[in-house]
Amino acid sequence: MSQDIPNPQTQASIGQDEIASLFKLAPMRVALVEDDPLLRKEIHYHLKQHGFLVFAVNSGRSLDDLLITEPIDALVLDLTLPGEDGISIARRIRSSIPSMGIIMLTARVAIPDRLKGYEAGTDIYLSKPVAPEELTAALMSMYRRLQLINQSA
């Protein structure tokens, strides 16, 4: 009995087509808050290659400065940051900008940590190391939801 094995290149091109059609009017604007410079650079590059408009910062304070000047659709947020941690940032952003999507990206995988993230307002909790394709898929899912909300408003 033979099984069809998915072709990764075909799957990638389907994903790119979906992204292109969703971003036809405007790309998703993503704030990436990650204190590790190499990881921040890698995630920024990957998301930019997939059509996202990415603003990369290294702390909650830098995020606050960014939010003064840039409208943001979604936040990809590290949990362990210098100064204010990701839980506090998520709680604050959820309170002040309820429509913003929040993805927590962290090495902490214990259930109590995950629950704290969700209680703080995180929509999606992803464990490091995260596959870039999974982060892209999570953001695309969030973008589709935001588009539906904006259309019905």
Side-chain angles (χ1 to χ4, degrees):
M1 180 172 176
S2 69
Q3 291 182 330
D4 289 334
I5 299 173
N7 179 340
Q9 291 188 354
T10 303
Q11 288 180 331
S13 66
I14 292 169
Q16 289 290 11
D17 291 344
E18 179 186 6
I19 291 169
S21 68
L22 278 174
F23 289 169
K24 206 177 297 182
L25 297 176
M28 184 177 201
R29 300 171 65 88
V30 177
L32 168 63
V33 186
E34 171 60 60
D35 63 325
D36 180 294
L38 181 58
L39 185 56
R40 186 173 60 244
K41 185 176 179 179
E42 288 175 356
I43 293 171
H44 180 271
Y45 178 80
H46 173 79
L47 294 177
K48 185 176 174 186
Q49 291 299 308
H50 284 82
F52 295 91
L53 184 55
V54 183
F55 301 88
V57 297
N58 64 358
S59 67
R61 178 167 284 166
S62 297
L63 174 65
D64 292 343
D65 293 341
L66 173 68
L67 292 175
I68 291 170
T69 60
E70 297 294 338
I72 298 296
D73 299 311
L75 181 60
V76 176
L77 180 62
D78 186 14
L79 179 59
T80 307
L81 294 165
E84 185 178 16
D85 71 1
I87 295 293
S88 175
I89 294 169
R91 187 174 290 115
R92 189 166 50 80
I93 295 299
R94 180 59 66 221
S95 173
S96 62
I97 312 171
S99 63
M100 185 181 295
I102 301 174
I103 296 177
M104 188 73 68
L105 187 60
T106 180
R108 294 188 192 175
V109 297
I111 294 299
D113 291 323
R114 289 177 170 277
L115 294 176
K116 282 181 191 174
Y118 287 122
E119 289 167 4
T122 297
D123 295 299
I124 300 170
Y125 194 105
L126 297 176
S127 300
K128 291 179 184 176
V130 65
E133 300 82 6
E134 183 179 12
L135 179 57
T136 300
L139 283 166
M140 290 306 303
S141 175
M142 190 174 285
Y143 191 69
R144 284 188 298 270
R145 179 180 56 87
L146 292 171
Q147 293 294 92
L148 290 172
I149 290 170
N150 290 337
Q151 288 173 1
S152 65

